[in-house]
Amino acid sequence: MNMNDFSATLLTCALGAYVAGIVGALLFQRAEKLANGVGFGLAAAGGVCGIFACASSLATGAATASQSFALFPSLIPYVRFGLRADALGCFFGMVVSLLGVALSIYSLGYVRGYYGHKNAGVLGAFFNLLLLATTLVFLADNAFFFLIAWELMALSAYCLVSFEHEHAETRNAGVLFFIMSHLGTGCLILGFLLLFQASGSYGFEGFHALGDKMPAARRNVVFLLFLIGFGVKAGMVPLHIWLPAAHPVAPSNVSALMSGVLIKTGIYGLARVCFDFLGTPPNWWGVTVLTLGTISAVLGVLYALMEHDLKRLLAYHSIENIGIILMGLGAALMFLHSGHPVLASLALIAGLYHTLNHAVFKALLFLGAGAVLHATHTRNMEDLGGLAKRMRWTTLCFLVGAVAISALPPLNGFVSEWLTYQSLLQGFGTTTSLIRLMFPLSGAMLALTGALAAACFVKAFGVTFLGQPRGDHARQAREVPFPMLLGQGILVAACVFLGLFPTVFLKLFDPLTRQLTGQQLSQQLTMADGLVLSGGPAQGGTVSTPGIALMLLCLLPVPLTLWALFARRAGTRIGPTWDCGQRGLTPQMQYTATGFSKPLRMIFKALFRPRREVQREYDFSPYFTTTLRFESHVEEVFQTRIYRPLRWLVLRASRRLRALQAGSLQAYLIYIFVTLLALLLFAL
Amino acid sequence: MLLLTPILIVPLLAGLLCLTVRAPRVMAALGVLAFGVTLGLGLALVRQVLARGVVTEWRGFLSADALSAWMVLLISTVSLATSLYAGRYFERDVAAGAVTPGRVREFFVLTPLFGAGMFLVVLANNLGVMWAAVEGTALSSVLLVALYNRRTSLEAAWKYVILGSLGLALALMGTVFVYAAACKRNPDSLPSFNWSYMMSVAGQLDPRLLKLAFVFALIGYGTKAGLAPMHTWLPDAHSEAPSPTSAMLSGVSLKIALYALLRFHILTTACLHSDFSRGFLLGFGLFSMFLAAPFILVQKNLKRMLAYSSLEHVGLICTGFALNSPVTIFGALLHMGYHALTKPVLFFAAGNIHQTFHSLEFRVIGPGVMKVLPVTAIAMALAGLAAIGLPPFGLFLSELTILSGGLASHQTTVSALILVALLASFCGILQQLARLLLGARKTGGPASDARHPDGVPAMALLLGGLLLFSVWLPAPLLALLHQAADLIGGRS
Amino acid sequence: MFVHDTLLNRLKRGCATMAYPAGPAPALPERHGGALRVEAAKCQADCAACVAVCPTEAVTRPPDRRVALDLGRCLFCAECVKACPTGAITQTGDHRLAVRRREDLVLGEAGNEQLRLAGVLDEKLRRLFRRSLKLRQVSAGGCNACEADTNVLGTIGWDLGRFGIQFVASPRHADGLLITGPVSKNMELALQKTYAAVPEPRIVIAVGACAIAGGPFVGHPQVHNGAGVLLPVDLFIPGCPPHPLTILDGLIRLLGRLEESGRKTG
C-alpha cells in the first residue's frame, strides 16, 4: 500500500471517528456514562489514528505539497472539501491528535464530575466537533474550506467555553471570545479574498508564493490582515484580552485543548501565510512579528505573576509562550529577508518545536489544574495548599509541567527555548544595520521571561501544592480517578521524551523546512549519534539533554551518600515550625500568592498600577482589630485603556443614533421626502 | 396545463373559504393545504422555467421567469411554515385571552390573501397590476399587524399604512413615468404595460424619464422593501404584529418589494447601459447594513432586534445585486432563500417566548430561557447562529460568495465595508441572544415547559430545510438561480 | 563626595573599640557599687536591719545560718549596706558577677563571702561556641533596662562581635537564648516555643534580677519568678540592670576567652 493512501485512510478514519463521537454522544445523552465513554472514547480513537497518519506521513517524507485529496464530493458550488497533508499541516495535525488522545482519556474521568447536573453528552459532542474542526483547519487545502472549518472551530469552542453558562462570568467570557474571534475571522476573510483576487482560485496551491506577484502595498495589507486575524486567535498582545477570560471558565479539558491547540491554529495560519503564500518578506514584517512576540512574552508572564486564579495564571502563560513562538517566527522572517535560509530554518524549527512543546506541557498543566479543581472545587490558589500529600500523582505531574514550562533542563521547554536563543543570538551577525540590535535585545527579554516564568511557577506550585491546606476544600481533597492520571501521564511521558530526545524529533522537521524554506537542518543540528543538540553552523553552541539527565541521575547518589554517612549520627528532633512564638497560627498565615508576587508588583508598578485598599474595624482600640478587609488590584491596561473606551464609544454612538427612530411619524415622512429630493437632485 | 393561475387561485380560495369555516383547526389546515399545493406547483414551475425560459399564461398577463419561479418557491415555503405554526399559536392566544376567535378568523382569512397578493406580484407581467398587487399585500398586512388591537399595534399599523401608502404612491409615480416613456416612444397607440414588452423596447425609451421612474420606484418600493432611510416603519410593524405575520413580513414580504424594485432596476439598466441604478442600489444597501448595526447593539426588545436584523440582511441582498457580478447576484439570490428559511424560525421562537413570558423586553424575560423553553431555545440558537452567518448554515456560504464576487470584480472597498457591517451585527445579535438564552434562571417566572414544545413542526421544517440546503444544492436549483442571476445582470 | 568624606572621617576617627579584655576594664560609675560581700561573722544575733530594708527579700536570716544574701534576687540598691550596723555587707566595686549555678549566688556561708565566678563551659560546648556564639534574645516582660544594657554591647565601643558573639533574628539560627525579664505569663508560651526552636546543643543565659528570680516583680501572680522556673539556665548574670561590663565579662568568661586568672573559679 502506498504511504499516501495509508495516511489518507487513517486521516479519514480519524475524522470519521470524530463524527461518530459527535453522533454517539448526542444519541446517548440520557445515559451519561455511555455518552461519556462513547464520546471521548471515539475522540481518543480518532486522535490515535491522527497521530499515526500525520507522524508516518512526516517520517516517511510522503508529506508534500502535492498530497491533496477530496474528503467527500461537494454538493454546493464554490466549496471543495479537499484535504492536503503537507508537512506543515501534518505537523500541526500531529499536535492536535496527540493532545486529543491525552485529553480524551483524561475527560473520561473528569466528566464524571458533571454527572447529574450537566449534560455530559453535549460536552462530548462539542469536544469531538472541536477536534474535528481543528484537524480540518490544519489540513484544508482551499480558502473556503479553511474558513468553514475555522468558523466551526470558533463556534464549537464558544459552545464549550459557555458550557457552565449559569455563571455570568462564563457567559460574558464566551461572548467576548466569540466576538474577538469573529473580528479576527473578518480580517482573515478579507485577507483570503484578496489572495483569491490575485490568484483567481481558492486553492492553497494557487496561493503558493503569490506574494511575489502582488503589488507591494496590497501585499502589506494582506500581511497585516492575516497578522491581526491569526494574532487574535493566537492571543498576541494587544489582541489577547479574550484569552484570560475564556480559558479559566471553560471545563478544564476544554481549557487544555484551547491553550494547547486552538491558539496554535493562529501560529499555523501565520506560518502558512508568511512562509508559503507571501513569498520573500520585507524586513519590517519580521521586525513587527519579533517585536509583538517579545512584548507578548514579557507582558504575558508579568500578568501571570499577579494572578492567584490558577487557570488564569496558566492562560497568561499561554500568551507568554505564544510570544516566544512568535519571536522564533519573526526571527525566521527577518532571516528570510536578509537571505539566510539556514538560520531562517533554525528559527522556524525553534518556533514550531516550541509550539509542540508548549502544547504538551501547557495541556499537562491545565489537566493538573483541572484535577485540582475536580478535587477541591476552587481555582483560587489562596484557598489551596497541602495538596502534595493528598494528591501525590497529580502533584508529580504538575511538577513536571512546571519544570518544563520554566525551561529547565532536561525537559522539553528547555530544548525549544535553547534553540530560540541560538537563532536569536546567531542573528546578530546577519546584517550590519541597526536592526540587528533587536536580536540580542529579544534574547535578553527572553531570558527575563524565562526567569519570571520560573518565579511564577515556584509560586503556583508552592502555594497550591506545598505547605498546609488553607481551606476546607483543600483539606478534603483526594486523588482524582485513574483516567485523569493516565491522561496526565501520557503528557508527562511526552514532555520527557521531547526533552531527552530532541534529535529524534528534529528529523520530523525536515520535510517542513524543506517545504517552507528549502533547507534541511536535522543533520546539522545533531551531533554524537543524536545525543548532542547543536545550534547549527559554526557559531552555534551545543547542549546535550540526555547528558544533563544522566548527570543529574549520577549526581543523585552524592547527597544520598553524604546523608547516609553523616546525618544518621546526628540526632533528629521533630518540632513545630517556628512561628515567632505566637499562638493560634493557622494555615492561612502561610505565604500567599499575592504576597509572593509583591516584590515584582512593586518593581513593575509603572505597568501594573497596583491599587491597595485596607479597611479595618475595631471595637475599642485600633490595636485590637476585629475585622480586616484587604483589596489589591492590578490594572488590566489593555482593557481599561483600549477596549473599554472603544466599546463605550461604540455604544454611546449607537445610543445617540437611536434618536433617529424616535417615533415621530412626521420625522419618518421627512426622511423619505429628503431622500427623494436628494436623489432627484443628484440623478438629474 | 395551467400552472400560474392555480398558484394564484388556490390561496385566494383558501382565504375566502375560511370566512365560512368555524373551527380554527380547519382554517389552519386549509392554509397549510393551500400553501402546500402552491409549493408543489412552484416546483413544477421551476422545471418548466428551466425547460422553456419563460412561462406565460392568459396571453402574457401572467408570466414567470427564473426570478419569479424562485420567489414563488420562497413565498410558498414561508407561508406554509407560517400556517403550520399559526394554528397552535392562536389556540394558545385564545386560551390566554389575548385575541378573540373573530380575530383569529381574520388572520386565517387575510394570510392566504396576503400570500395570493404576493404571488400576483411575482407573476404579474403588467407593471400596473404588479403595483396593485403590492398595494394589496400592504392592505392585508396592515390589518394583520393591527390584529391584537392594542394601542401599540394600532400605532404600528398606522405608521405602516401611512409610510407604506406614501411609498406606494411614489412607486405609482415611477410606474407612470415608465408608461410615459413608453407612450413617448409610441405616440400613436397605447403601448402595452407589460414588463416583457418594456424590456423588448428598452433601448428606445427616453433615458431621462427612465431615470426619473427609477428614482421614484427606488424610494417607493424601497420603502416597502425596508431600505434605509425609508425603513422606519419596519421595527414597529414587525414587532407588533403576531409572530406568524412577522415571520411572513420579514421572511418574504420585504423580498417581494425588492423583487418589484429589481424589475425596475433591470429595465433601467437595459435602457441606460450605465451604472446609474446600480450605484443607487449599492448606496441604499450599504446604508441599510450600516444603519442596522448600531440599533441591534443597543436593542432592548427581541422582535425589534430581529426586525433590524432583517433590515441588515435585506441591505446585504440589495448590495449583492448592486455589485452586479454573476457571482454576487447568485449569492444574493441564494441569501434570499436562506434568509427566508432562517428568519421565520427566529420569529416563531420569539412568539413562543412572548406567549410564555408575556413580554418581549430582554430585561423582563431575563437570562436562562433555555431552562424554561429548551426546544424553543435550541431552535432560536440554531437559527440565530445561522442568521449571524456561521457555518454549517448556508448564510455563511452566500455571504462569502457575495464577498468573493465583489473582490473578484475588483470592488474591494465595498466588499470590505460589507464585511465590517456584517461583523458589527454579528457582535450585537450574539451578545443579545447569549444573554437571553443562556444562564441560570432568576427565581420566579414560569416553570419549564419541556413537555409541550411548541411550533416544532414549523421550526423543524424550516431548520431542516436550511441544514439540508446548506450542504446540498440540487442541480435544478442551481440552474434556476444562475438563470435568474443572468436575468438580473442583464446577460440573458 | 559623600564616599570620600566618609572614608576620610573613618580614617581620622580610627578605632574606637575599648582594649578590654586585652587591656584594663573601663571604670564602673560612682553609683555602681559592684559585687556585694557578706561577712556573716560580723552579724549580730538579733539584728534584722538588712532584712527590713530589702525590697525583694534578697537578704534573709534563715534559721540554719546567720545571714543569707541571694544576689539573684538582689536589686543592688545598697540599702542593706547602709542599714547594717556592723558593716557585714559591703560593696566590693568588682564588676564580675556572673555564675554558672544558682546556688553560687547565695552569699553568707562560711567560705562563701564572695561569688564563685562562672567557669568555662564543658569541653564539647566550649569547642563549638568558643569562636562563634549566636544568641537569640527573649525579652520576657521586663522593664527593658537589661535589654538596653545588653544592646549597648553591640556598639563600636564594646563590639561584642569581635568575640564571635552575635544576636540573631531567629532561634533557628541561634546557639542559645539570652533571657531578660521575669517571664510574665503572657510570654511563657513564646519563651517555651523559642527554646524548643533552638537546635541542640543549646545554652540559656539569664540576665538581670528579673530573669534569675523575678526581680522587683517577685511573687506577682502574673509572673513566673525567673527563667529558671521554666528552663535550665547555664549562666546567671545578676544586676538590676547588670552593667554592660558585667554582662560582657560573664559571656566571655563562659567561653573561656578571658585571659586573666583572677579569682577562684568554680
Side-chain angles (χ1 to χ4, degrees):
Chain A
M1 201 195 301
N2 196 348
M3 263 306 153
N4 308 338
D5 293 334
F6 175 64
S7 47
T9 324
L10 271 184
L11 264 176
T12 323
C13 284
L15 297 172
Y18 293 138
V19 173
I22 298 175
V23 172
L26 283 175
L27 263 176
F28 299 122
Q29 270 181 66
R30 302 282 169 200
E32 291 171 321
K33 294 200 181 72
L34 192 56
N36 185 8
V38 164
F40 290 106
L42 283 169
V48 169
C49 293
I51 296 180
F52 279 117
C54 296
S56 73
S57 203
L58 276 176
T60 60
T64 62
S66 57
Q67 298 308 316
S68 202
F69 62 96
L71 196 54
F72 49 84
S74 156
L75 301 162
I76 41 178
Y78 305 119
V79 185
R80 183 178 161 272
F81 295 113
L83 294 186
R84 187 166 78 138
D86 74 337
L88 189 61
C90 276
F91 174 73
F92 278 93
M94 196 175 68
V95 173
V96 68
S97 307
L98 173 64
L99 281 193
V101 175
L103 294 175
S104 306
I105 296 178
Y106 175 90
S107 305
L108 288 170
Y110 183 75
V111 173
R112 292 185 205 168
Y114 287 119
Y115 287 166
H117 60 276
K118 296 237 47 138
N119 193 334
V122 164
L123 182 60
F126 278 117
F127 196 79
N128 277 287
L129 181 60
L130 183 57
L131 282 172
L132 175 68
T134 316
T135 315
L136 287 177
V137 162
F138 291 139
L139 297 173
D141 83 337
N142 65 69
F144 222 120
F145 190 26
F146 180 91
L147 285 169
I148 291 180
W150 185 268
E151 284 279 53
L152 268 179
M153 182 179 75
L155 176 60
S156 45
Y158 167 69
C159 295
L160 284 170
V161 167
S162 308
F163 188 63
E164 298 180 46
H165 57 83
E166 288 78 22
H167 310 286
E169 185 200 357
T170 311
R171 288 201 300 277
N172 293 337
V175 169
L176 177 64
F177 160 71
F178 210 1
I179 287 182
M180 293 226 52
S181 164
H182 201 76
L183 291 176
T185 309
C187 296
L188 287 186
I189 292 179
L190 198 54
F192 272 119
L193 289 179
L194 282 172
L195 285 178
F196 160 72
Q197 194 186 50
S199 95
S201 85
Y202 288 114
F204 282 175
E205 311 86 57
F207 290 168
H208 181 70
L210 190 57
D212 289 328
K213 302 178 202 130
M214 291 169 73
R218 187 153 290 220
R219 203 167 140 215
N220 289 337
V221 167
V222 168
F223 170 74
L224 279 175
L225 283 170
F226 279 122
L227 185 64
I228 296 176
F230 287 123
V232 169
K233 191 53 117 202
M236 189 174 74
V237 166
L239 305 160
H240 65 287
I241 57 165
W242 61 271
L243 223 160
H247 281 54
V249 296
S252 304
N253 48 350
V254 173
S255 308
L257 193 59
M258 285 177 76
S259 246
V261 174
L262 218 71
I263 55 185
K264 307 303 186 312
T265 56
I267 301 295
Y268 164 78
L270 271 176
R272 173 74 70 193
V273 163
C274 293
F275 292 96
D276 196 6
F277 293 168
L278 288 180
T280 314
N283 208 16
W284 69 269
W285 290 7
V287 170
T288 312
V289 176
L290 183 60
T291 315
L292 285 171
T294 315
I295 295 176
S296 305
V298 175
L299 284 181
V301 74
L302 281 176
Y303 281 114
L305 272 165
M306 295 300 120
E307 284 297 328
H308 56 82
D309 176 336
L310 193 52
K311 284 170 79 168
R312 262 180 89 100
L313 184 144
L314 294 174
Y316 272 114
H317 271 289
S318 291
I319 299 179
E320 174 219 343
N321 282 283
I322 286 291
I324 299 177
I325 299 172
L326 285 176
M327 284 165 83
L329 288 186
L333 283 174
M334 290 174 76
F335 294 142
L336 270 185
H337 170 82
S338 59
H340 294 88
V342 173
L343 274 179
S345 311
L346 179 64
L348 186 61
I349 290 178
L352 292 178
Y353 202 173
H354 199 74
T355 310
L356 175 60
N357 289 338
H358 177 244
V360 171
F361 57 61
K362 186 44 67 66
L364 174 59
L365 286 169
F366 264 111
L367 294 188
V372 167
L373 185 57
H374 182 95
T376 63
H377 305 290
T378 175
R379 303 193 309 251
N380 188 0
M381 278 197 284
E382 315 280 33
D383 285 335
L384 297 174
L387 295 178
K389 297 218 170 59
R390 295 162 174 80
M391 300 169 67
R392 290 174 194 274
W393 293 109
T394 308
T395 310
L396 186 62
C397 295
F398 195 91
L399 182 61
V400 170
V403 169
I405 198 173
S406 310
L408 295 172
L411 292 181
N412 52 358
F414 169 73
V415 173
S416 47
E417 279 203 27
W418 188 84
L419 284 171
T420 315
Y421 278 122
Q422 287 298 315
S423 60
L424 284 175
L425 296 173
Q426 290 181 45
F428 187 71
T430 56
T431 87
T432 49
S433 71
L434 274 179
I435 288 289
R436 67 184 172 158
L437 284 177
M438 284 206 61
F439 291 113
L441 211 63
S442 305
M445 288 294 116
L446 185 59
L448 175 67
T449 312
L452 290 173
C456 192
F457 271 94
V458 165
K459 175 182 93 165
F461 183 73
V463 171
T464 310
F465 290 98
L466 304 179
Q468 301 282 321
R470 292 180 182 78
D472 282 325
H473 290 300
R475 224 164 278 140
Q476 292 156 7
R478 281 180 313 132
E479 189 57 276
V480 290
F482 178 68
M484 291 169 78
L485 293 175
L486 184 58
Q488 293 180 68
I490 295 177
L491 292 174
V492 165
C495 277
V496 171
F497 279 121
L498 285 169
L500 287 182
F501 306 111
T503 45
V504 170
F505 292 96
L506 278 180
K507 293 207 190 64
L508 287 176
F509 286 96
D510 276 343
L512 227 157
T513 49
R514 199 170 49 224
Q515 181 194 348
L516 295 179
T517 58
Q519 302 287 323
Q520 249 178 255
L521 279 191
S522 71
Q523 287 298 95
Q524 291 177 312
L525 296 178
T526 313
M527 287 166 58
D529 286 328
L531 287 176
V532 173
L533 182 66
S534 145
Q539 307 112 317
T542 54
V543 77
S544 168
T545 39
I548 293 177
L550 205 59
M551 189 177 72
L552 284 173
L553 278 175
C554 291
L555 285 179
L556 199 59
V558 171
L560 288 175
T561 321
L562 287 173
W563 178 77
L565 280 178
F566 295 110
R568 298 271 196 80
R569 280 196 285 144
T572 311
R573 181 161 61 94
I574 298 178
T577 310
W578 170 241
D579 52 7
C580 298
Q582 305 263 14
R583 73 183 73 229
L585 232 50
T586 65
Q588 266 99 3
M589 296 174 187
Q590 291 174 105
Y591 234 144
T592 58
T594 316
F596 188 91
S597 53
K598 170 131 185 207
L600 286 154
R601 192 155 50 238
M602 290 298 117
I603 294 175
F604 290 100
K605 67 172 183 270
L607 168 69
F608 292 128
R609 299 180 188 284
R611 261 188 317 122
R612 194 169 165 266
E613 207 180 287
V614 179
Q615 278 176 15
R616 62 178 72 197
E617 282 174 35
Y618 56 86
D619 284 338
F620 48 86
S621 161
Y623 297 111
F624 296 94
T625 315
T626 49
T627 320
L628 187 68
R629 191 161 158 271
F630 172 82
E631 253 187 67
S632 168
H633 294 279
V634 162
E635 186 188 339
E636 297 165 309
V637 173
F638 292 97
Q639 262 102 316
T640 50
R641 298 295 161 108
I642 304 181
Y643 288 95
R644 270 197 213 122
L646 207 62
R647 182 168 169 264
W648 180 82
L649 263 173
V650 168
L651 287 177
R652 193 172 81 136
S654 305
R655 276 186 214 111
R656 291 270 178 84
L657 267 179
R658 292 178 78 197
L660 285 176
Q661 184 90 10
S664 152
L665 189 55
Q666 290 86 338
Y668 299 162
L669 290 168
I670 289 180
Y671 296 156
I672 299 183
F673 278 121
V674 167
T675 316
L676 182 62
L677 270 173
L679 247 57
L680 285 175
L681 283 173
F682 185 71
L684 304 169
Chain B
M1 201 198 109
L2 290 178
L3 267 182
L4 304 180
T5 323
I7 294 182
L8 286 174
I9 301 289
V10 167
L12 197 63
L13 278 179
L16 292 173
L17 260 176
C18 284
L19 279 171
T20 59
V21 169
R22 290 280 168 145
R25 293 261 173 100
V26 177
M27 291 197 270
L30 270 177
V32 172
L33 190 61
F35 289 115
V37 166
T38 54
L39 184 59
L41 289 172
L43 288 170
L45 178 61
V46 168
R47 199 138 41 98
Q48 293 266 335
V49 167
L50 281 177
R52 300 203 315 228
V54 182
V55 172
T56 61
E57 280 172 24
W58 304 110
R59 284 189 296 152
F61 179 71
L62 297 176
S63 123
D65 53 20
L67 185 58
S68 315
W70 178 232
M71 300 304 298
V72 166
L73 281 180
L74 294 183
I75 302 171
S76 313
T77 319
V78 174
S79 307
L80 176 63
T82 306
S83 304
L84 268 176
Y85 178 74
R88 286 254 334 153
Y89 176 84
F90 280 112
E91 261 177 55
R92 284 197 305 277
D93 258 356
V94 170
V99 277
T100 62
R103 291 282 177 174
V104 175
R105 180 200 296 277
E106 213 175 283
F107 175 86
F108 282 110
V109 169
L110 285 172
T111 302
L113 289 180
F114 187 19
M118 288 201 278
F119 282 127
L120 187 54
V121 172
V122 300
L123 293 178
N125 203 353
N126 189 315
L127 287 175
V129 173
M130 185 174 81
W131 179 88
V134 176
E135 181 77 67
T137 62
L139 285 175
S140 47
S141 53
V142 162
L143 291 170
L144 284 168
V145 166
L147 199 79
Y148 279 135
N149 218 15
R150 298 188 293 243
R151 195 181 59 81
T152 46
S153 345
L154 288 177
E155 185 183 332
W158 172 244
K159 288 190 186 145
Y160 182 22
V161 79
I162 295 288
L163 292 167
S165 304
L166 173 64
L168 281 173
L170 293 173
L172 183 60
M173 297 227 37
T175 317
V176 165
F177 277 127
V178 168
Y179 198 59
C183 286
K184 197 169 165 192
R185 174 192 170 271
N186 230 10
D188 313 321
S189 59
L190 280 177
S192 155
F193 211 165
N194 285 347
W195 185 80
S196 46
Y197 171 73
M198 298 292 176
M199 280 299 292
S200 61
V201 297
Q204 298 144 25
L205 295 172
D206 184 0
R208 277 182 319 154
L209 275 175
L210 256 281
K211 278 197 201 175
L212 211 57
F214 180 74
V215 167
F216 276 96
L218 176 60
I219 306 282
Y221 283 125
T223 310
K224 290 293 299 172
L227 292 175
M230 296 92 65
H231 70 289
T232 42
W233 58 271
L234 215 164
D236 298 323
H238 287 215
S239 62
E240 290 300 329
S243 298
T245 310
S246 306
M248 277 182 81
L249 283 174
S250 259
V252 273
S253 132
L254 297 178
K255 311 206 173 70
I256 296 302
L258 200 59
Y259 165 89
L261 183 55
L262 270 181
R263 291 291 181 195
F264 276 85
H265 163 64
I266 301 172
L267 186 58
T268 316
T269 317
C271 168
L272 297 172
H273 294 292
S274 76
D275 283 343
F276 174 78
S277 51
R278 220 189 68 128
F280 283 122
L281 278 179
L282 192 62
F284 278 95
L286 278 177
F287 189 46
S288 306
M289 289 180 79
F290 275 104
L291 196 60
F295 283 92
I296 294 176
L297 278 173
V298 290
Q299 196 47 249
K300 300 196 171 81
N301 180 311
L302 179 58
K303 279 168 83 169
R304 282 182 86 93
M305 184 184 83
L306 296 177
Y308 280 113
S309 167
S310 296
L311 173 64
E312 188 231 342
H313 282 278
V314 165
L316 175 63
I317 295 170
C318 200
T319 315
F321 288 133
L323 284 171
N324 211 28
S325 110
V327 178
T328 63
I329 300 179
F330 173 80
L333 286 169
L334 204 55
H335 197 82
M336 270 179 153
Y338 286 134
H339 183 246
L341 288 174
T342 313
K343 195 43 71 65
V345 177
L346 285 168
F347 274 108
F348 295 158
N352 287 351
I353 291 178
H354 190 183
Q355 287 184 328
T356 314
F357 295 94
H358 306 291
S359 167
L360 285 169
E361 306 277 322
F362 287 125
R363 209 175 12 104
V364 175
I365 305 174
V369 171
M370 195 165 299
K371 303 277 186 227
V372 181
L373 297 169
V375 177
T376 306
I378 293 184
M380 187 160 217
L382 286 173
L385 290 175
I388 55 183
L390 281 174
F393 300 105
L395 286 113
F396 178 72
L397 175 70
S398 53
E399 283 172 10
L400 214 56
T401 310
I402 295 178
L403 287 171
S404 57
L407 274 159
S409 53
H410 298 283
Q411 297 170 80
T412 317
T413 333
V414 174
S415 310
L417 286 173
I418 297 177
L419 197 54
V420 171
L422 286 174
L423 289 176
S425 58
F426 173 97
C427 300
I429 296 183
L430 174 74
Q431 181 168 19
Q432 305 283 30
L433 283 184
R435 230 190 282 167
L436 183 70
L437 296 174
L438 298 177
R441 217 37 231 166
K442 293 198 268 267
T443 51
S448 168
D449 214 3
R451 291 158 305 148
H452 306 293
D454 301 317
V456 169
M459 294 198 278
L461 175 71
L462 289 176
L463 278 176
L466 179 65
L467 272 171
L468 178 65
F469 291 117
S470 300
V471 292
W472 174 57
L473 280 175
L477 193 59
L478 278 176
L480 181 73
L481 290 173
H482 281 300
Q483 215 171 324
D486 287 338
L487 190 71
I488 300 176
R491 271 162 274 270
S492 65
Chain C
M1 299 314 280
F2 176 73
V3 174
H4 173 260
D5 289 338
T6 310
L7 284 174
L8 272 183
N9 193 324
R10 287 285 153 213
L11 287 170
K12 259 190 273 179
R13 275 246 219 134
C15 180
T17 310
M18 62 181 64
Y20 178 84
L28 288 176
E30 288 283 316
R31 278 171 52 115
H32 199 304
L36 292 178
R37 182 188 160 83
V38 173
E39 285 166 51
K42 291 193 187 168
C43 250
Q44 288 174 349
D46 294 320
C47 178
C50 54
V51 175
V53 297
C54 182
T56 57
E57 294 171 17
V59 58
T60 51
R61 296 209 61 177
D64 55 330
R65 54 174 123 151
R66 289 212 202 162
V67 63
L69 171 57
D70 183 357
L71 281 183
R73 288 174 81 133
C74 179
L75 299 186
F76 293 86
C77 61
E79 288 295 314
C80 54
V81 174
K82 279 188 249 167
C84 182
T86 56
I89 306 175
T90 48
Q91 293 172 311
T92 60
D94 188 354
H95 66 273
R96 298 172 298 177
L97 282 162
V99 301
R100 289 295 307 282
R101 299 178 308 193
R102 182 72 176 89
E103 47 276 19
D104 289 346
L105 284 173
V106 181
L107 303 179
E109 290 259 336
N112 216 11
E113 294 83 18
Q114 295 178 147
L115 292 169
R116 275 177 219 260
L117 296 174
V120 185
L121 288 170
D122 68 55
E123 194 49 37
K124 173 177 154 220
L125 288 180
R126 193 185 82 92
R127 253 186 321 149
L128 279 175
F129 298 145
R130 181 181 157 77
R131 292 171 67 89
S132 164
L133 177 67
K134 307 294 177 220
L135 294 172
R136 171 73 178 156
Q137 210 283 311
V138 180
S139 174
C143 70
N144 247 15
C146 298
E147 287 85 337
D149 275 344
T150 308
N151 198 20
V152 81
L153 290 177
T155 57
I156 58 173
W158 299 91
D159 193 12
L160 197 55
R162 57 198 160 114
F163 303 107
I165 306 176
Q166 197 186 346
F167 290 102
V168 290
S170 166
R172 295 281 192 224
H173 308 161
D175 300 314
L177 297 182
L178 190 136
I179 306 173
T180 54
V183 191
S184 57
K185 293 261 164 62
N186 274 345
M187 275 301 285
E188 178 188 351
L189 179 63
L191 183 58
Q192 303 273 28
K193 285 194 171 189
T194 312
Y195 182 69
V198 179
E200 291 170 2
R202 53 195 170 184
I203 61 174
V204 176
I205 304 168
V207 171
C210 289
I212 299 175
F217 309 106
V218 64
H220 194 283
Q222 279 298 316
V223 306
H224 300 283
N225 295 320
V229 175
L230 300 169
L231 305 175
V233 180
D234 298 291
L235 183 68
F236 299 85
I237 307 180
C240 189
H243 193 272
L245 187 55
T246 309
I247 304 175
L248 181 59
D249 165 81
L251 289 174
I252 59 182
R253 190 184 297 281
L254 184 70
L255 300 179
R257 300 289 291 269
L258 208 49
E259 272 74 22
E260 76 172 69
S261 49
R263 312 290 217 70
K264 54 176 168 161
T265 56

